[in-house]
Amino acid sequence: MALFVYKFGGTSVGSVERIKAVAGKIKKAKERGDDIVAVVSAMSGETNRLTSLAEQMQDEPTSREMDVLLSTGEQVTMSLLSMALHDLDCPACSYTGGQVKILTDSMHSKARVREIDDSNIKKDLEQGLVVVVAGFQGVDENGNITTLGRGGSDTTAVALATALKAKECHIYTDVDGVYTTDPRVEPKARRLDKITFEEMLEMASLGSKVLQIRSVEFAGKYNVALRVLSTFKEGNGTLITYEESEMERALISGIAFNRDEAKLTITGVPDVPGVASKILCPVADENIEVDMIIQNIAADATTDFTFTVHRNDYQKTKAVLEEICKNLSAKQVTGDDSIVKISIVGVGMRSHAGIASTMFRVLADEGINIRMISTSEIKISVVVDEKYLELAVRALHKAFDLDKEDQ
Ligand code: ADP
Ligand code: ASP
Ligand code: MG
């Protein structure tokens, strides 16, 4: 007998029929003799629906009230799943994050898990119950409801698997594993049997939303066996692991992309010490996260400074930069919010030269202009115009031999 944490995403619990199917799947696992803790997301579309209700109520609702509101989505699913289990004569009990209790810090909308009191869960498991937990939420030390950021139910599942020392944490979703790239963009994408934590972390950070970044960080830190599988189709899915050996042969494991990017440039900035901090500190003060940064030196002792931010922060960043432009007597601020970042990721890159040049040649052959480049040990990212996203991803997928063999 082993303990598993199963997490079911929004699509997997998107209707009454699907919740019943999930209950059936859990019942089968119980019949095999396993103990199950099920973490559930809100029904698909529900978190967005709740967000739009809030927007109709107030321009900028407080993050505390937003968390109270958004946490209800998962609360609906947890009780419905518990009822569906009862209906199958499978005893179950549901808990909100606060009831468990999953203690977090007080950073509303992006709280971090600090500690989990697993005593209720353990008691219920001992009595043979299936424990259903609302994902994406916790409670701070003052009793305020917090949420863990979009996609946060993945992190709830991994945190519970860690606390309960589960055998494996299964992330059940609408794809049957982690693919070489998003199969919605490249149907020739291949499912990976295994991927390293390091690569999965890069893929998640660079835009592959199949797993929330923090869930991968958490699982890597505590060495939780993490597996992504389909709710709808049998199979072994993809195991996220520390083992590298078999995969070393592949130069590139996957291609990630992020559509949520925008870039801004401030030109004609005096090229003197302290200029980067004069530009980026006021941006940071507005709580705007900066991603890629490039500084060019011009012949006339001025510099052009370009960086990317989340697309939602584009207008706000532009306003901050206009002010900085005046203060620094720089030339002008320009920007573009229809760009995307595309990244190739692979631990094999460490030991092979020429990967960047191949990437740039493939893009050039397709007539795609590269606007920014950044590299690290196991990834190369480029910024290109949004209209080239599909073309670029597919061309790179083919060039790096990632396409499915049978196509
Ligand atoms: P859930 O609601 O179950 O949490 P998500 O929508 O968060 O599901 O994640 C699953 C989706 O992630 C898939 O439908 C797929 O389009 C997308 N995705 C992006 N990159 C990848 C990838 N490399 N492999 C698999 N799926 C990916
Ligand atoms: N319901 C939340 C979201 O849509 C959390 C999750 O599904 O993981 O982001
Ligand atoms: Mg998700």
Side-chain angles (χ1 to χ4, degrees):
M1 196 165 90
L3 169 66
F4 288 86
V5 174
Y6 285 1
K7 177 257 170 177
F8 297 93
T11 322
S12 311
V13 292
S15 66
V16 166
E17 292 69 32
R18 287 191 171 174
I19 294 175
K20 287 185 177 178
V22 163
K25 201 175 173 72
I26 295 172
K27 185 172 180 185
K28 263 198 210 150
K30 280 295 285 177
E31 284 169 353
R32 280 196 303 268
D34 291 326
D35 277 334
I36 304 295
V37 172
V39 173
V40 287
S41 285
M43 295 168 79
S44 53
E46 183 61 10
T47 309
N48 290 343
R49 188 186 74 86
L50 293 168
T51 305
S52 92
L53 283 180
E55 281 165 4
Q56 293 168 54
M57 213 49 73
Q58 198 188 356
D59 276 348
E60 284 195 36
T62 63
S63 52
R64 182 192 182 279
E65 296 311 323
M66 278 308 287
D67 279 359
V68 174
L69 178 69
L70 296 190
S71 67
T72 62
E74 271 68 13
Q75 195 170 341
V76 168
T77 326
M78 79 182 199
S79 48
L80 292 178
L81 177 58
S82 194
M83 290 174 199
L85 285 160
H86 291 167
D87 197 50
L88 297 178
D89 291 324
C90 188
C93 184
S94 68
Y95 295 98
T96 64
Q99 283 176 309
V100 165
K101 89 188 204 186
I102 298 177
L103 185 72
T104 70
D105 62 21
S106 301
M107 289 293 288
H108 286 291
S109 85
K110 47 182 172 229
R112 281 185 180 268
V113 177
R114 281 199 179 149
E115 213 179 288
I116 293 182
D117 175 359
D118 56 12
S119 51
N120 281 336
I121 298 183
K122 279 193 169 147
K123 242 184 271 159
D124 287 351
L125 288 174
E126 272 160 25
Q127 289 174 12
L129 301 185
V130 171
V131 178
V132 184
V133 180
F136 174 59
Q137 55 187 270
V139 66
D140 75 3
E141 55 192 5
N142 299 317
N144 296 301
I145 295 174
T146 54
T147 64
L148 310 181
R150 296 305 301 262
S153 301
D154 297 337
T155 302
T156 306
V158 172
L160 282 169
T162 309
L164 296 162
K165 301 189 179 57
K167 183 165 185 222
E168 278 195 10
C169 180
H170 288 184
I171 305 290
Y172 286 101
T173 181
D174 55 3
V175 270
D176 61 348
V178 178
Y179 276 65
T180 45
T181 194
D182 189 340
R184 289 188 211 208
V185 165
E186 174 50 286
K188 291 180 191 158
R190 256 189 306 118
R191 185 179 60 78
L192 301 164
D193 286 333
K194 288 181 182 177
I195 184 168
T196 63
F197 278 110
E198 206 181 359
E199 286 169 319
M200 193 62 236
L201 197 57
E202 286 283 4
M203 292 279 282
S205 326
L206 295 166
S208 298
K209 289 177 184 144
V210 59
L211 284 174
Q212 199 202 28
I213 306 168
R214 282 194 189 157
S215 71
V216 187
E217 273 170 6
F218 215 109
K221 187 164 167 196
Y222 296 101
N223 204 359
V224 175
L226 182 62
R227 200 181 278 278
V228 176
L229 315 99
S230 164
T231 310
F232 310 107
K233 193 170 138 191
E234 289 298 316
N236 291 331
T238 302
L239 180 69
I240 329 294
T241 168
Y242 275 111
E243 289 166 44
E244 256 180 46
S245 51
E246 288 167 47
M247 291 174 293
E248 272 174 343
R249 267 173 277 133
L251 286 182
I252 301 300
S253 300
I255 302 176
F257 52 82
N258 190 349
R259 300 177 203 261
D260 301 329
E261 301 256 336
K263 82 178 168 66
L264 295 113
T265 302
I266 174 162
T267 58
V269 186
D271 187 19
V272 291
V275 123
S277 83
K278 280 193 184 128
I279 296 170
L280 293 180
C281 289
V283 174
D285 289 346
E286 290 294 321
N287 252 332
I288 299 167
E289 272 180 45
V290 169
D291 182 15
M292 289 161 93
I293 304 172
I294 290 181
Q295 185 182 326
N296 290 322
I297 310 290
D300 60 355
T302 64
T303 176
D304 296 346
F305 199 91
T306 303
F307 58 91
T308 60
V309 294
H310 193 286
R311 212 175 270 188
N312 292 347
D313 288 329
Y314 178 65
Q315 291 302 345
K316 196 167 148 193
T317 315
K318 203 151 184 238
V320 176
L321 274 195
E322 300 284 3
E323 197 54 38
I324 298 169
C325 185
K326 259 189 259 151
N327 296 344
L328 293 179
S329 307
K331 201 163 149 206
Q332 65 168 341
V333 176
T334 56
D336 189 347
D337 64 351
S338 45
I339 53 141
V340 290
K341 180 168 73 174
I342 300 173
S343 312
I344 56 175
V345 175
V347 287
M349 236 183 249
R350 283 202 182 107
S351 46
H352 286 83
I355 294 183
S357 53
T358 304
M359 181 182 197
F360 304 153
R361 181 182 43 76
V362 169
L363 296 174
D365 288 350
E366 297 294 342
I368 300 171
N369 199 9
I370 301 172
R371 309 224 170 254
M372 295 172 84
I373 300 171
S374 106
T375 65
S376 76
E377 219 186 343
I378 66 159
K379 72 119 205 279
I380 304 167
S381 301
V382 294
V383 166
V384 301
D385 291 350
E386 188 172 26
K387 63 180 181 219
Y388 294 125
L389 174 75
E390 279 83 7
L391 179 63
V393 169
R394 288 178 195 156
L396 291 168
H397 201 266
K398 184 159 195 286
F400 285 105
D401 283 332
L402 296 173
D403 284 2
K404 264 195 255 186
E405 270 154 24
D406 54 332
Q407 301 211 6

